[in-house]
Amino acid sequence: DAKTTQPTSMDCAEGRAANLPCNHSTISGNEYVYWYRQIHSQGPQYIIHGLKNNETNEMASLIITEDRKSSTLILPHATLRDTAVYYCIGRTSYGKLTFGQGTILTVHP
Amino acid sequence: DSGVTQTPKHLITATGQRVTLRCSPRSGDLSVYWYQQSLDQGLQFLIQYYNGEERAKGNILERFSAQQFPDLHSELNLSSLELGDSALYFCASSAGTALDTPLHFGNGTRLTVT
């Protein structure tokens, strides 16, 4: 799996959009970008994934640059319950995901 | 709710003992994964099974073993437990092993070795 780089921590005001960046400059052509989050000590929660095109679901939007070297996860209207560790993962291995240190997102009232 | 069920939620045992953690995957999912999360190591992949067969191994100790049964549930066996084995153990499942198939995680078993 490609090495990803994320900021250690970010803050966001409640109700505003949270934009979480991820650098994956060594990503290969068939490598998907996955985002997960972990709230407190719960199990990691799947958010979204994509290959080349931008993706949107009920939780978030994923914007992948044209050269695929970076991506941004967007939570359109952050709430206090979105406070969590967010993991960006570049996946090439058929099967497992390799988690890094992630970004601690804190949403403030 | 991810649909992945792990039991027990908490387990407290003594050094040298053996424990079994159980995982029921989401309905229809054939692949099961085990991860360990300790305070200083982050989420570490242990092992993966697909339809009863071992598919990939990660940083799994020889004292640990796993299996996936015909009904697709999985068990992780930890033996000769040490203090350092205290951690959260997560199970995940996916429909297959394709790159665009997400893993869905359970809420884990918290193991405390005293």
Coordinates of all heavy atoms in Angstrom, one line a residue, chain A residues 2 4 22 24 27-36 46-57 60-73 87-92 97, chain B residues 98-103:
Chain A
A2 N 0.4 2.3 -0.7 CA 1.2 3.5 -0.8 C 1.3 4.2 0.5 O 0.4 4.1 1.4 CB 0.5 4.5 -1.8
T4 N 1.0 7.2 2.9 CA 0.2 8.4 2.9 C 0.7 9.4 4.0 O 1.2 8.9 5.0 CB -1.3 8.1 3.1 OG1 -1.4 7.4 4.4 CG2 -1.8 7.2 2.0
C22 N -4.8 14.7 2.3 CA -4.0 13.5 2.4 C -3.1 13.5 1.2 O -3.5 13.7 0.0 CB -4.8 12.2 2.4 SG -3.9 10.7 2.4
H24 N -0.5 11.3 -1.1 CA -0.2 10.0 -1.5 C 0.6 10.0 -2.8 O 0.1 9.4 -3.8 CB -1.4 9.0 -1.6 CG -2.7 9.7 -2.0 ND1 -3.0 10.0 -3.3 CD2 -3.7 10.1 -1.3 CE1 -4.1 10.5 -3.4 NE2 -4.7 10.6 -2.2
I27 N 1.4 6.9 -5.1 CA 0.2 6.0 -5.4 C 0.4 5.4 -6.8 O 0.9 6.1 -7.7 CB -1.1 6.7 -5.2 CG1 -2.2 5.7 -5.1 CG2 -1.3 7.7 -6.4 CD1 -3.6 6.4 -4.6
S28 N 0.0 4.1 -6.9 CA 0.1 3.5 -8.2 C -1.2 3.5 -8.9 O -2.2 3.9 -8.3 CB 0.6 2.0 -8.0 OG -0.3 1.3 -7.3
G29 N -1.2 3.1 -10.2 CA -2.4 3.3 -11.0 C -3.6 2.5 -10.6 O -4.7 3.0 -10.8
N30 N -3.4 1.4 -10.0 CA -4.6 0.6 -9.6 C -4.9 0.7 -8.1 O -5.6 -0.1 -7.5 CB -4.4 -0.9 -9.9 CG -3.3 -1.5 -9.1 OD1 -2.4 -0.8 -8.5 ND2 -3.3 -2.8 -9.0
E31 N -4.3 1.7 -7.4 CA -4.5 1.8 -6.0 C -5.6 2.7 -5.6 O -5.7 3.9 -6.1 CB -3.2 2.4 -5.4 CG -3.0 2.3 -4.0 CD -1.5 2.4 -3.6 OE1 -0.7 2.5 -4.5 OE2 -1.3 2.5 -2.4
Y32 N -6.5 2.2 -4.8 CA -7.7 3.0 -4.4 C -7.3 3.8 -3.1 O -6.5 3.4 -2.3 CB -8.8 2.0 -4.0 CG -9.6 1.6 -5.2 CD1 -9.1 0.5 -6.0 CD2 -10.9 2.1 -5.5 CE1 -9.9 0.1 -7.1 CE2 -11.6 1.7 -6.5 CZ -11.1 0.7 -7.3 OH -11.8 0.2 -8.4
V33 N -8.0 4.9 -3.0 CA -7.8 5.8 -1.8 C -9.0 5.5 -0.9 O -10.2 5.7 -1.4 CB -7.7 7.3 -2.1 CG1 -7.7 8.1 -0.9 CG2 -6.5 7.5 -3.0
Y34 N -8.8 5.1 0.3 CA -9.8 4.8 1.3 C -9.8 5.8 2.4 O -8.7 6.2 2.8 CB -9.7 3.4 1.8 CG -10.3 2.3 1.0 CD1 -9.7 1.8 -0.1 CD2 -11.6 1.8 1.4 CE1 -10.3 0.8 -0.9 CE2 -12.2 0.8 0.6 CZ -11.5 0.3 -0.5 OH -12.1 -0.7 -1.2
W35 N -10.9 6.1 3.0 CA -11.0 6.9 4.2 C -11.8 6.1 5.2 O -12.9 5.7 4.9 CB -11.6 8.3 3.9 CG -10.6 9.2 3.3 CD1 -10.4 9.4 2.0 CD2 -9.8 10.2 3.9 NE1 -9.5 10.4 1.7 CE2 -9.1 10.9 2.9 CE3 -9.6 10.6 5.3 CZ2 -8.2 11.9 3.2 CZ3 -8.7 11.6 5.6 CH2 -8.0 12.3 4.5
Y36 N -11.2 6.1 6.4 CA -11.9 5.5 7.6 C -11.8 6.5 8.7 O -10.9 7.4 8.7 CB -11.3 4.2 8.0 CG -11.7 3.0 7.2 CD1 -11.1 2.8 5.9 CD2 -12.6 2.1 7.7 CE1 -11.5 1.7 5.2 CE2 -13.0 1.0 7.0 CZ -12.4 0.8 5.7 OH -12.8 -0.3 5.0
Y46 N -15.9 2.8 8.0 CA -15.7 3.1 6.6 C -16.5 4.4 6.2 O -17.6 4.6 6.6 CB -16.2 1.9 5.7 CG -16.4 2.3 4.3 CD1 -15.2 2.4 3.5 CD2 -17.6 2.5 3.7 CE1 -15.4 2.8 2.1 CE2 -17.8 2.8 2.4 CZ -16.6 3.0 1.6 OH -16.8 3.3 0.3
I47 N -15.8 5.3 5.5 CA -16.4 6.5 5.1 C -16.6 6.5 3.6 O -17.8 6.6 3.1 CB -15.6 7.7 5.4 CG1 -15.3 7.8 7.0 CG2 -16.2 9.0 5.0 CD1 -14.4 8.9 7.4
I48 N -15.6 6.3 2.8 CA -15.7 6.5 1.4 C -14.4 6.0 0.7 O -13.4 5.9 1.4 CB -15.9 8.0 1.0 CG1 -16.5 8.1 -0.4 CG2 -14.7 8.8 1.2 CD1 -17.1 9.5 -0.7
H49 N -14.5 5.6 -0.6 CA -13.2 5.3 -1.3 C -13.4 5.7 -2.7 O -14.5 5.9 -3.2 CB -12.9 3.8 -1.2 CG -13.8 2.9 -1.9 ND1 -15.0 2.5 -1.5 CD2 -13.6 2.3 -3.1 CE1 -15.6 1.7 -2.4 NE2 -14.7 1.5 -3.4
G50 N -12.2 5.8 -3.4 CA -12.3 6.2 -4.8 C -11.0 5.9 -5.5 O -10.0 5.6 -4.9
L51 N -11.0 5.8 -6.9 CA -9.8 5.5 -7.7 C -9.3 6.8 -8.4 O -8.2 7.2 -8.2 CB -10.2 4.4 -8.7 CG -9.0 3.9 -9.5 CD1 -7.9 3.3 -8.7 CD2 -9.5 2.9 -10.6
K52 N -10.2 7.3 -9.2 CA -9.8 8.5 -10.0 C -10.8 9.6 -9.9 O -10.4 10.8 -9.8 CB -9.6 8.1 -11.5 CG -8.6 7.1 -11.8 CD -8.6 6.8 -13.3 CE -7.7 5.7 -13.7 NZ -7.8 5.3 -15.1
N53 N -12.0 9.3 -9.9 CA -13.1 10.3 -9.9 C -13.4 10.7 -8.5 O -13.2 10.0 -7.6 CB -14.3 9.7 -10.6 CG -14.0 9.3 -12.1 OD1 -13.3 10.0 -12.8 ND2 -14.6 8.2 -12.4
N54 N -14.0 11.9 -8.4 CA -14.5 12.4 -7.2 C -15.7 11.5 -6.8 O -16.5 11.1 -7.7 CB -14.9 13.8 -7.3 CG -13.7 14.7 -7.6 OD1 -12.6 14.3 -7.3 ND2 -14.0 15.9 -8.1
E55 N -15.9 11.3 -5.5 CA -17.0 10.4 -5.0 C -17.7 11.2 -3.9 O -17.1 12.0 -3.2 CB -16.4 9.1 -4.5 CG -15.6 8.3 -5.5 CD -16.5 7.6 -6.5 OE1 -17.7 7.6 -6.4 OE2 -15.9 7.2 -7.5
T56 N -19.0 10.9 -3.8 CA -19.8 11.5 -2.8 C -20.8 10.4 -2.3 O -21.3 9.6 -3.1 CB -20.6 12.7 -3.3 OG1 -19.7 13.7 -3.7 CG2 -21.6 13.2 -2.2
N57 N -21.0 10.3 -1.0 CA -22.0 9.5 -0.4 C -22.7 10.3 0.7 O -22.5 11.5 0.9 CB -21.5 8.1 0.1 CG -20.4 8.3 1.2 OD1 -20.4 9.3 1.9 ND2 -19.6 7.2 1.3
A60 N -19.8 11.8 3.2 CA -18.7 12.7 2.9 C -18.5 12.8 1.4 O -19.2 12.0 0.6 CB -17.5 12.3 3.5
S61 N -17.6 13.7 0.9 CA -17.2 13.7 -0.4 C -15.7 13.5 -0.5 O -15.0 13.9 0.5 CB -17.5 15.1 -1.1 OG -18.9 15.3 -1.2
L62 N -15.2 12.9 -1.5 CA -13.8 12.6 -1.7 C -13.4 13.3 -3.0 O -13.9 13.0 -4.1 CB -13.5 11.1 -1.8 CG -12.1 10.7 -2.1 CD1 -11.1 11.2 -1.1 CD2 -12.0 9.1 -2.2
I63 N -12.4 14.2 -2.9 CA -11.9 14.9 -4.1 C -10.5 14.4 -4.3 O -9.6 14.5 -3.4 CB -11.9 16.4 -3.9 CG1 -13.2 16.9 -3.4 CG2 -11.4 17.1 -5.1 CD1 -14.3 16.7 -4.4
I64 N -10.2 13.8 -5.5 CA -8.9 13.3 -5.8 C -8.3 14.1 -6.9 O -9.0 14.4 -7.9 CB -9.0 11.8 -6.3 CG1 -9.6 10.9 -5.2 CG2 -7.6 11.2 -6.6 CD1 -9.9 9.5 -5.6
T65 N -7.1 14.6 -6.8 CA -6.5 15.4 -7.8 C -6.3 14.7 -9.1 O -6.2 13.4 -9.0 CB -5.2 16.0 -7.3 OG1 -4.3 14.9 -7.0 CG2 -5.3 16.9 -6.1
E66 N -6.2 15.4 -10.2 CA -6.1 14.7 -11.5 C -4.8 13.8 -11.5 O -4.9 12.7 -12.2 CB -6.0 15.7 -12.6 CG -6.3 15.2 -14.0 CD -6.5 16.2 -15.0 OE1 -6.9 17.4 -14.6 OE2 -6.3 15.9 -16.2
D67 N -3.7 14.2 -10.9 CA -2.5 13.4 -10.9 C -2.5 12.3 -9.9 O -1.6 11.5 -9.7 CB -1.3 14.3 -10.8 CG -1.2 15.0 -9.4 OD1 -2.1 14.7 -8.6 OD2 -0.3 15.8 -9.3
R68 N -3.6 12.3 -9.1 CA -3.8 11.3 -8.0 C -2.8 11.3 -6.9 O -2.7 10.4 -6.1 CB -3.9 9.9 -8.6 CG -5.0 9.7 -9.7 CD -5.7 8.4 -9.8 NE -4.8 7.3 -9.5 CZ -4.9 6.4 -8.6 NH1 -6.0 6.4 -7.8 NH2 -4.1 5.4 -8.5
K69 N -2.1 12.4 -6.8 CA -1.0 12.4 -5.8 C -1.6 12.9 -4.4 O -0.9 12.9 -3.4 CB 0.2 13.3 -6.2 CG 0.9 12.6 -7.4 CD 2.2 13.4 -7.7 CE 2.9 12.7 -8.8 NZ 4.2 13.4 -9.2
S70 N -2.8 13.4 -4.4 CA -3.3 13.9 -3.2 C -4.9 13.8 -3.2 O -5.4 13.7 -4.3 CB -2.9 15.3 -2.8 OG -3.4 16.2 -3.7
S71 N -5.5 13.9 -2.1 CA -6.9 13.9 -2.0 C -7.4 14.6 -0.8 O -6.6 14.9 0.1 CB -7.5 12.4 -2.0 OG -7.0 11.7 -0.8
T72 N -8.7 15.0 -0.8 CA -9.3 15.7 0.3 C -10.6 15.1 0.7 O -11.4 14.8 -0.2 CB -9.5 17.2 0.0 OG1 -8.3 17.8 -0.4 CG2 -10.1 17.9 1.2
L73 N -10.8 14.8 1.9 CA -12.1 14.3 2.4 C -12.8 15.5 2.9 O -12.3 16.3 3.7 CB -11.9 13.3 3.6 CG -13.2 12.8 4.2 CD1 -13.8 11.8 3.2 CD2 -12.9 12.1 5.5
Y87 N -8.4 8.3 9.0 CA -7.3 7.6 8.3 C -7.5 7.6 6.8 O -8.6 7.3 6.3 CB -7.3 6.2 8.7 CG -7.0 5.9 10.2 CD1 -8.0 5.7 11.1 CD2 -5.7 5.9 10.7 CE1 -7.8 5.5 12.4 CE2 -5.5 5.7 12.1 CZ -6.5 5.5 12.9 OH -6.3 5.2 14.2
C88 N -6.4 8.0 6.1 CA -6.4 8.0 4.6 C -5.5 6.8 4.3 O -4.4 6.7 4.8 CB -5.8 9.3 4.1 SG -5.4 9.3 2.4
I89 N -6.0 5.9 3.4 CA -5.2 4.7 3.1 C -5.2 4.5 1.6 O -6.2 4.6 0.9 CB -5.9 3.5 3.8 CG1 -6.0 3.7 5.3 CG2 -5.2 2.2 3.4 CD1 -7.0 2.7 6.0
G90 N -4.0 4.2 1.1 CA -3.8 3.9 -0.3 C -3.7 2.4 -0.4 O -2.9 1.7 0.2
R91 N -4.7 1.7 -1.0 CA -4.8 0.3 -1.0 C -4.4 -0.4 -2.3 O -5.1 -0.2 -3.3 CB -6.2 -0.1 -0.6 CG -6.5 -1.5 -0.4 CD -8.0 -1.8 -0.2 NE -8.2 -3.2 0.2 CZ -9.4 -3.7 0.2 NH1 -10.5 -2.9 0.0 NH2 -9.6 -4.9 0.6
T92 N -3.4 -1.2 -2.3 CA -3.0 -2.0 -3.4 C -3.2 -3.5 -3.1 O -3.3 -4.3 -3.9 CB -1.6 -1.8 -3.8 OG1 -0.7 -1.9 -2.7 CG2 -1.4 -0.5 -4.5
L97 N -6.1 -3.7 4.8 CA -5.8 -2.2 4.8 C -4.7 -1.9 5.8 O -4.6 -2.5 6.8 CB -7.0 -1.4 5.2 CG -8.3 -1.5 4.3 CD1 -9.5 -0.9 5.0 CD2 -8.0 -0.7 3.0
Chain B
A98 N -11.5 -7.9 -3.5 CA -11.2 -6.9 -4.5 C -10.8 -5.6 -3.9 O -11.3 -5.2 -2.8 CB -12.4 -6.8 -5.5
L99 N -10.0 -4.8 -4.7 CA -9.5 -3.5 -4.1 C -10.6 -2.5 -3.8 O -10.5 -1.6 -3.0 CB -8.5 -2.9 -5.1 CG -7.2 -3.6 -5.2 CD1 -6.3 -2.9 -6.3 CD2 -6.4 -3.6 -3.9
D100 N -11.8 -2.6 -4.5 CA -12.8 -1.7 -4.3 C -13.9 -2.2 -3.4 O -15.0 -1.7 -3.4 CB -13.4 -1.2 -5.7 CG -14.1 -2.4 -6.4 OD1 -13.8 -3.6 -6.0 OD2 -14.8 -2.1 -7.4
T101 N -13.5 -3.2 -2.6 CA -14.5 -3.8 -1.6 C -14.1 -3.3 -0.2 O -13.1 -3.7 0.3 CB -14.5 -5.3 -1.7 OG1 -14.7 -5.7 -3.0 CG2 -15.6 -5.9 -0.8
P102 N -14.9 -2.5 0.4 CA -14.5 -1.9 1.7 C -14.6 -3.0 2.8 O -15.3 -4.0 2.7 CB -15.6 -0.9 2.0 CG -16.3 -0.6 0.7 CD -16.2 -1.8 -0.1
L103 N -13.7 -2.8 3.8 CA -13.8 -3.6 5.0 C -14.7 -2.9 6.0 O -14.7 -1.7 6.1 CB -12.4 -3.7 5.7 CG -11.4 -4.8 5.2 CD1 -11.1 -4.6 3.7 CD2 -10.2 -4.9 6.0

